[in-house]
């Protein structure tokens, strides 16, 4: 009896010591953070009526233009806010570099900031690599004009959730308040100082280390509610005077990004990953807490230790007097009471406790209390495990079946490890497959698809949920057709691996790789099928061969002719003027081919900068470039354009050159004194341009090849010089612009090239501000 009492006292003391240590040192930090998040969700408060967010939202982007906007737009907004009587304006927009494109905008914005006299601007820390951290401040003129400058850093926990901020951050003796505190100081006196977790050097009155970014006064963010909780006005509405001045008078106005995709949004305790909270709204929550004097503080270590120990002591006293279901009920009540006290302390006393250690111990108290009851079950399980391992049914590495002490826990731990390893292996396999760039299918021995990566689901399912459960041959046949004798379609006896070249339904070249996998007993267990897209490799090989042909034949031939002419001149077989004339013609031909090939390579590979252009102007420009050529052949280029604009999205230089190639061909292959008609038509969703000549026409057999590199119609090759690069260039440019080109021709009766362009989808030039 004495021994049992001492053992009980030892268990009690060890438990209390462990719980106190966990509570004091935040040993269950992640669980405590989740509980604090839950309390935050339950404790929603009304939004502060003095705080207004002027959001850079999707509506404003649609009305004003794409981001970034010109700084004179911000200057106009500040002037509007000044006229409305805003108390403080926090312009949460990084302005660390001068506007080199519109330098007058910086002066206008500086003047607006100075005239307002109540503007707070943001700064941030930037890691300069080997140079260490550095402060990224507004440009000097703006910083001097602003009433205050504050940092906009938000502290993210290990799980990526924004739960806290530091109210002061600094570097080499310079300190900047948080953006919210800077606004609060500008708006009123008596903003509390020295809050939250202090920097050790600052708390001790010592200077902070040089070269390190220092942070002080860390506090949890007391979120008032979910995203959209604070009053929000659209930037465009305020800028255009659509908001009454009364709505902004004597308010703390925060100007920042709310539009999706602008990046300034974070997971928070009151916003899921599907509903992130913009950074400007996190600043609003912090500002509201400072204005109301309602800043949270994390409980100190001794407070957390006492809070964690108290319910355990009550639980131990109750377990000495109660039995069975009553004891379990008391433990449940104590757990609820612990959560309730922690919630009330956070909600009303503004103290954030860490209850996870106490809750964890309360959950373990009942199993510990029933320890002796489980000893018989433990011995029984040990014996059963011994028999199962002797039969070879299981093998649990690390389990000590020879010792009855805590054998149940050992078995549970072993099974938990095994289960966790299996789940981890499954996740690893699935994540590894999802990381592959090619579609991968895994089937069982019956050919049924059991695993498919994301690329495969997208490639084969085409919008359906997935392809699991379907036959692997049927799934593959949706996109790629293989020979019927492929081992994949075999039943019973299965062949080995295979690599087959094929073409999918989109015309892309691919290689289908099939590898049989082993089953549970070493037999055939199914297929691992991969479809590798090699169309890009084949296109690169084709272009390489074209370039090699160009260098070895087309470029070499005129150079060889030049060498021969030089030899003839040296031998005295040609006079100087005759030799120089021929050399010049060959050199010009070489230069023209090189230019044409370089232009074609650029058209195929360059990244186009699409702008909204008027196809009418481009066509007139192209026709004007060919005026001299037309005059030389006494031809006339007749341009017919509609009265309305024909706006498309494209690269004006490349399209002009492509149209010039088509018109040049029409002049070159047309009769002397002929007419080339360029007819531009505007339709509802497309713009059509027809180039019509009266030339030799193109034989039907030549039509499929005229857009190939060095491709020329037979009639044209017999009558005129050319290299077959102009139409290839035009086709490449038009394809990159999502335009179509069609050709109709009758030998001896002329040719018509018809181009179709999609109507512009871009905003008019200059709309972005």
């Amino acid at each position: 009896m004495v021994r049992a009492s001492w053992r009980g006292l030892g268990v009690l003391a060890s438990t209390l010591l462990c719980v106190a240590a966990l509570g004091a040192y935040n040993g269950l930090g992640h669980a405590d953070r989740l509980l604090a998040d839950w309390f935050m969700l339950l404790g929603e408060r009304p939004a502060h009526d003095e705080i207004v967010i002027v959001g850079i939202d999707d509506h404003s982007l649609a009305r004003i233009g794409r981001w970034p906007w010109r700084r004179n737009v911000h200057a106009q907004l500040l002037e509007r806010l000044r006229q409305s009587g805003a108390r403080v304006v926090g312009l949460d927009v990084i302005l660390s570099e001068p506007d080199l494109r519109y330098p007058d905008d910086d002066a206008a914005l500086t003047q607006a900031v100075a005239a307002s006299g109540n503007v707070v601007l943001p700064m941030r820390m930037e890691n300069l690599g080997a140079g260490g951290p550095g402060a990224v401040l507004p440009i000097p003129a703006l910083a001097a004009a602003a009433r205050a400058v504050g940092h906009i850093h938000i502290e993210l926990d290990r799980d990526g959730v924004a739960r806290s901020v530091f109210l002061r951050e600094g570097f080499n003796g310079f300190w900047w308040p948080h953006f919210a505190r800077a606004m609060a100081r500008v708006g009123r006196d008596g903003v509390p100082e020295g809050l939250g977790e202090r920097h050790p050097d600052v708390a001790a009155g010592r200077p902070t280390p040089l070269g390190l970014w220092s942070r002080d006064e860390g506090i949890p963010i007391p979120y008032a509610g979910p995203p959209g909780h604070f009053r929000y006005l659209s930037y465009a509405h305020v800028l255009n005077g659509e908001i009454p001045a009364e709505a902004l008078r004597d308010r703390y106005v925060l100007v920042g990004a709310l539009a999706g995709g602008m990046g300034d949004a974070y997971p928070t305790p009151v916003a899921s990953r599907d509903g992130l909270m913009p950074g400007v709204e996190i600043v609003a929550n912090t500002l509201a807490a400072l204005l109301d004097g309602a800043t949270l503080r994390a409980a100190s270590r001794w407070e957390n230790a006492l809070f964690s120990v108290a319910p355990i002591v009550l639980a131990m006293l109750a377990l000495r007097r109660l039995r069975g279901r009553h004891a379990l009920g008391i433990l449940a009540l104590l757990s609820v009471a612990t959560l309730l006290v922690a919630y009330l302390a956070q909600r009303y006393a503004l103290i954030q406790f860490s209850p996870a250690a106490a809750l964890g111990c309360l959950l373990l108290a009942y199993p510990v209390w029933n320890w002796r009851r489980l000893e018989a079950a433990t011995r029984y399980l040990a014996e059963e495990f011994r028999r199962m391992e002797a039969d070879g049914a299981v093998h649990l590495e690390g389990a000590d079946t020879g010792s009855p002490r805590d054998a149940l826990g050992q078995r549970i731990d072993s099974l938990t490890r095994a289960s966790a390893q299996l789940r981890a292996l499954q996740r690893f396999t699935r994540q590894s497959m999802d990381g592959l760039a090619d579609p991968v299918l895994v089937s069982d021995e019956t050919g049924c698809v059991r695993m498919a990566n994301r690329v495969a689901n997208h490639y084969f399912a085409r919008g359906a949920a997935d392809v699991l459960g379907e036959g692997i041959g049927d799934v593959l046949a949706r996109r790629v057709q293989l020979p019927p004798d492929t081992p994949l379609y075999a039943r019973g006896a299965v062949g080995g691996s295979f690599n087959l070249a094929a073409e999918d339904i989109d015309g892309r070249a691919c290689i289908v790789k099939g590898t049989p996998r082993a089953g549970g007993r070493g037999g055939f267990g199914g297929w691992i099928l991969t479809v590798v897209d090699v169309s890009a490799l084949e296109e690169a090989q084709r272009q390489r061969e074209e370039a090699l042909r160009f260098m070895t034949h087309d470029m070499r031939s005129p150079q060889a002719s030049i060498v021969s002419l030089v030899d003839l001149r040296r031998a005295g077989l040609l006079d100087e003027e005759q030799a120089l004339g021929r050399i010049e013609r060959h050199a010009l031909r070489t230069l023209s081919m090189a230019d044409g090939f370089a232009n074609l390579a650029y058209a195929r590979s360059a990244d186009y900068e699409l702008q909204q252009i008027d196809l009418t102007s481009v066509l007139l420009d192209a026709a004007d470039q060919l005026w001299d050529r037309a005059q030389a052949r006494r031809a006339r280029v007749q341009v017919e354009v509609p009265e309305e604009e024909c706006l498309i999205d494209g690269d004006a230089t490349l399209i002009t050159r492509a149209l010039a190639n088509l018109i040049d061909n029409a002049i070159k292959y047309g009769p002397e004194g002929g007419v080339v008609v360029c007819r531009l038509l505007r339709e509802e969703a497309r713009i059509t341009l027809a180039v019509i000549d009266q030339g030799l026409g193109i034989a039907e057999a030549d039509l499929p090849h005229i857009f190939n590199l060095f491709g020329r119609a037979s009639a044209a090759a017999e009558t005129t010089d050319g290299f077959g690069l102009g139409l290839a260039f035009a086709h490449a440019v038009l394809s990159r612009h999502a335009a179509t080109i069609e050709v109709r021709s009758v030998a001896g009766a002329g040719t018509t090239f018809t181009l179709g362009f999609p109507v512009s989808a871009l905003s008019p030039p200059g709309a972005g501000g």
Side-chain angles (χ1 to χ4, degrees):
M1 179 69 81
V2 173
R3 182 178 179 183
S5 299
W6 279 108
R7 181 181 298 173
L9 289 175
V11 171
L12 174 62
S14 300
T15 302
L16 293 179
L17 183 62
C18 179
V19 172
L22 287 174
Y25 293 96
N26 199 20
L28 300 174
H30 184 65
D32 285 319
R33 287 192 292 269
L34 293 179
L35 288 173
D37 293 349
W38 183 45
F39 297 156
M40 198 82 71
L41 284 170
L42 295 176
E44 183 174 325
R45 306 187 310 275
H48 200 291
D49 58 1
E50 291 184 301
I51 298 175
V52 175
I53 297 176
V54 174
I56 302 171
D57 54 6
D58 294 326
H59 172 75
S60 299
L61 292 174
R63 291 185 60 177
I64 301 175
R66 290 183 298 176
W67 187 262
W69 298 331
R70 288 181 55 177
R71 293 180 181 177
N72 66 350
V73 176
H74 300 312
Q76 296 170 26
L77 178 74
L78 291 180
E79 177 60 22
R80 181 73 66 183
L81 294 175
R82 186 187 68 81
Q83 295 174 1
S84 299
R87 181 185 298 181
V88 184
V89 177
L91 184 59
D92 188 9
V93 177
I94 297 297
L95 301 167
S96 58
E97 296 180 358
D99 191 338
L100 301 179
R101 187 176 180 184
Y102 302 103
D104 292 341
D105 286 9
D106 283 341
L109 182 56
T110 301
Q111 183 178 357
V113 170
S116 298
N118 60 354
V119 176
V120 178
L121 295 179
M123 61 82 62
R124 60 184 175 87
M125 183 269 284
E126 184 176 69
N127 194 340
L128 303 178
V136 179
L137 297 166
I139 60 176
L142 285 174
R147 181 72 177 275
V149 175
H151 76 84
I152 54 174
H153 301 150
I154 296 171
E155 185 71 9
L156 300 180
D157 288 337
R158 292 182 178 179
D159 57 1
V161 177
R163 294 188 178 92
S164 59
V165 295
F166 285 88
L167 296 179
R168 285 207 320 158
E169 295 191 13
F171 178 68
N172 289 347
F174 294 94
W175 291 90
W176 291 273
H178 189 270
F179 198 71
R181 173 177 272 182
M183 290 185 65
R185 286 176 175 173
V186 172
R188 65 170 60 167
D189 297 327
V191 177
E193 303 285 340
L195 303 173
E197 180 183 355
R198 303 305 306 275
H199 188 286
D201 292 329
V202 175
R206 299 187 300 266
T208 55
L210 296 178
L212 297 178
W213 191 268
S214 302
R215 301 185 296 181
D216 187 28
E217 296 188 55
I219 64 167
I221 303 173
Y223 290 98
H229 190 64
F230 284 84
R231 186 182 181 192
Y232 139 70
L233 302 174
S234 175
Y235 189 110
H237 289 163
V238 176
L239 180 66
N240 294 327
E242 300 171 21
I243 303 299
E246 189 60 33
L248 299 166
R249 184 169 293 114
D250 206 31
R251 299 292 198 279
Y252 292 83
V253 179
L254 272 162
V255 182
L258 294 180
M262 293 190 70
D264 188 22
Y266 307 88
T268 66
V270 293
S272 68
R273 293 188 181 273
D274 295 328
L276 305 180
M277 179 175 287
V280 68
E281 193 165 352
I282 296 178
V283 174
N285 279 278
T286 307
L287 176 60
L290 292 171
L291 295 177
D292 292 338
T295 52
L296 280 174
R297 72 171 179 89
S300 64
R301 288 183 177 179
W302 68 267
E303 288 173 332
N304 266 328
L306 288 178
F307 181 83
S308 300
V309 166
I312 305 306
V313 172
L314 294 176
M316 292 294 184
L317 293 176
L319 289 176
R320 290 181 63 88
R321 298 179 177 273
L322 300 175
R323 295 293 183 268
R325 291 175 296 176
H326 300 291
L328 188 60
I330 288 296
L331 291 176
L333 288 175
L334 285 173
S335 299
V336 173
T338 301
L339 286 173
L340 181 61
V341 172
Y343 166 71
L344 295 175
Q346 180 171 311
R347 178 71 174 84
Y348 297 103
L350 300 177
I351 301 175
Q352 203 170 68
F353 284 104
S354 301
L359 290 174
C361 190
L362 288 172
L363 293 175
L364 293 174
Y366 192 76
V368 172
W369 177 66
N370 281 289
W371 178 26
R372 289 186 178 275
R373 295 183 180 184
L374 296 176
E375 286 185 349
T378 302
R379 286 193 297 270
Y380 171 76
L381 286 176
E383 186 64 27
E384 285 297 311
F385 274 125
R386 191 177 293 112
R387 283 196 294 268
M388 293 171 66
E389 289 185 328
D391 294 338
V394 297
H395 177 66
L396 299 176
E397 185 179 357
D400 183 11
T401 57
S403 172
R405 182 181 297 275
D406 201 25
L408 177 63
Q410 293 175 9
R411 297 304 180 278
I412 293 175
D413 289 344
S414 298
L415 290 173
T416 301
R417 289 197 300 270
S419 177
Q421 290 172 6
L422 287 174
R423 289 194 300 271
L425 180 60
Q426 186 180 33
R427 287 195 300 269
F428 173 77
T429 303
R430 188 168 298 279
Q431 291 171 358
S432 298
M433 288 182 60
D434 286 340
L436 297 176
D438 299 312
V440 179
L441 300 173
V442 180
S443 75
D444 58 18
E445 67 277 7
T446 67
C448 185
V449 176
R450 295 304 179 191
M451 295 184 70
N453 63 352
R454 292 176 182 171
V455 179
N457 281 322
H458 176 75
Y459 184 70
F460 292 110
R462 289 295 187 178
D466 52 47
V467 296
L468 298 184
E470 301 184 39
I472 192 169
D474 297 334
V475 172
L476 180 65
R478 297 177 186 174
R479 305 284 301 174
V480 181
Q481 294 294 333
L482 295 182
D485 60 348
T486 302
L488 178 70
Y489 301 123
R491 301 292 181 184
V494 179
S497 302
F498 62 87
N499 291 332
L500 297 177
E503 186 175 283
D504 68 7
I505 60 175
D506 295 329
R508 292 196 296 264
C510 60
I511 295 178
V512 181
K513 298 182 178 181
T515 304
R517 64 183 185 89
R521 297 184 179 180
F524 174 69
W527 286 99
I528 301 174
L529 194 71
T530 306
V531 181
V532 182
D533 185 354
V534 296
S535 58
L537 294 177
E538 291 197 351
E539 175 63 18
Q541 177 65 20
R542 186 183 65 80
Q543 293 184 9
R544 177 180 174 276
E545 291 173 356
E546 289 177 350
L548 185 61
R549 173 190 167 186
F550 176 71
M551 296 298 296
T552 58
H553 179 268
D554 297 271
M555 286 291 288
R556 187 175 180 275
S557 177
Q559 301 302 316
S561 298
I562 291 175
V563 173
S564 299
L565 289 170
V566 171
D567 291 340
L568 291 173
R569 171 58 186 154
R570 287 174 176 170
L573 300 178
L574 287 176
D575 60 39
E576 182 176 353
E577 183 177 354
Q578 186 179 15
L580 290 177
R582 293 184 180 182
I583 290 174
E584 181 183 21
R585 285 196 298 274
H586 286 300
L588 290 175
R589 177 180 174 84
T590 302
L591 181 61
S592 179
M593 280 195 297
D595 287 342
F597 195 82
N599 290 335
L600 178 60
Y602 177 80
R604 285 176 169 177
S605 61
D607 292 331
Y608 289 15
E609 295 184 6
L610 301 184
Q611 297 179 342
Q612 189 178 74
I613 59 176
D614 188 352
L615 191 57
T616 301
S617 301
V618 173
L619 175 59
L620 293 173
D621 189 19
D624 187 60
Q625 292 180 17
L626 274 300
W627 185 87
D628 291 339
R629 178 67 63 90
Q631 291 298 308
R633 291 184 56 83
R634 293 181 290 117
R636 180 166 57 90
V637 178
Q638 178 177 319
V639 179
E640 301 174 4
V641 297
E643 294 183 359
E644 63 269 22
E645 288 183 318
C646 294
L647 300 179
I648 64 170
D649 301 328
D651 187 311
T653 301
L654 291 176
I655 294 180
T656 301
R657 188 177 297 162
L659 297 183
N661 284 349
L662 294 176
I663 299 173
D664 183 44
N665 282 351
I667 296 172
K668 183 192 304 183
Y669 301 124
E672 288 198 15
V675 177
V676 177
V677 179
C678 300
R679 182 175 298 127
L680 187 63
L681 298 175
R682 169 66 188 266
E683 299 174 355
E684 182 176 351
R686 293 187 68 76
I687 296 173
T688 303
L689 171 61
V691 179
I692 306 168
D693 65 37
Q694 301 169 338
L696 300 171
I698 303 172
E700 185 175 354
D702 294 331
L703 288 175
H705 312 294
I706 60 172
F707 295 115
N708 295 342
L709 188 63
F710 309 115
R712 302 186 66 205
S714 55
E718 294 172 358
T719 58
T720 58
D721 292 333
F723 315 119
L725 296 174
L727 289 180
F729 173 83
H731 185 268
V733 171
L734 295 171
S735 297
R736 293 290 297 274
H737 284 82
T740 60
I741 180 169
E742 300 175 358
V743 56
R744 290 185 295 104
S745 182
V746 178
T751 303
T752 299
F753 286 90
T754 304
L755 285 58
F757 293 88
V759 174
S760 173
L762 297 177
S763 301

